[in-house]
Amino acid sequence: MKKKIYLAGGWFTPEMEEEHTRIYELIKDKFNVFNPKLESLITETSTQDDMSQTLVGNIYGITSADLVLVIYDRKDVGTIWEAGCAYAYNKPILYYAETLGNKPFNLMLAKTGNFARNMDELLEKLNDEHTFKFKRVYDYEGAVE
């Protein structure tokens, strides 16, 4: 049975859209991916009910996932909220930040999940069963802020 991944990441700029789509295309065949972009009921004419259903659906996607993959680049607020929700539900988190370079990573995020800086590291982590095991506190090699 395929593992379930919740793909947390914004798609609100061309750069975000490109990265989100590229990562989704990379993982969609190997994993059962809950992609909020594809599941969202949000449009320019969304009702309060549409918004509520989207929120509840996303929380269900997080709580039923084996792993939450968080695209950290460009620091979308909703994505960071999803990471906090995942941690509160004891879901393993894999942060992806290809634009971070040598800059410090946020301490709270660094200590709450695994980390990948490029597509090769991402694939390596997704092929490692340990990535799918929740830990309360993770080790992080690198500068933090």
Side-chain angles (χ1 to χ4, degrees):
M1 178 188 285
K2 291 182 180 180
K3 295 228 184 254
K4 297 176 188 173
I5 292 180
Y6 181 96
L7 179 58
W11 56 86
F12 312 112
T13 67
E15 296 83 10
M16 292 169 107
E17 168 74 22
E18 183 281 324
E19 186 176 35
H20 193 277
T21 300
R22 182 167 31 93
I23 291 172
Y24 176 67
E25 290 296 322
L26 180 74
I27 65 175
K28 71 177 181 153
D29 294 331
K30 184 171 181 181
F31 300 97
N32 180 358
V33 181
F34 183 98
N35 185 340
K37 177 184 174 193
L38 303 177
E39 302 291 332
S40 177
L41 300 175
I42 304 303
T43 66
E44 291 178 9
T45 59
S46 294
T47 65
Q48 289 296 318
D49 189 52
D50 293 334
M51 290 183 264
S52 297
Q53 285 183 50
T54 296
L55 171 66
V56 170
N58 288 359
I59 292 170
Y60 175 78
I62 291 168
T63 60
S64 65
D66 296 308
L67 174 82
V68 175
L69 174 53
V70 175
I71 302 172
Y72 176 76
D73 295 313
R74 294 165 232 354
K75 301 175 183 159
D76 173 63
V77 175
T79 301
I80 300 307
W81 183 90
E82 290 165 319
C85 181
Y87 185 78
Y89 279 104
N90 297 327
K91 295 296 173 177
I93 301 168
L94 176 55
Y95 295 101
Y96 182 76
E98 66 188 24
T99 63
L100 187 64
N102 292 327
K103 295 177 282 196
F105 190 47
N106 177 272
L107 170 67
M108 302 305 281
L109 302 181
K111 298 305 284 182
T112 58
N114 282 299
F115 186 83
R117 292 181 192 272
N118 57 54
M119 296 295 266
D120 289 337
E121 284 184 15
L122 178 60
L123 286 173
E124 180 182 320
K125 298 281 182 174
L126 291 173
N127 286 319
D128 184 346
E129 282 295 317
H130 295 324
T131 303
F132 290 85
K133 306 274 190 244
F134 177 80
K135 290 174 32 179
R136 181 65 47 200
V137 178
Y138 292 75
D139 291 335
Y140 175 78
E141 294 182 26
V144 294
E145 58 182 2

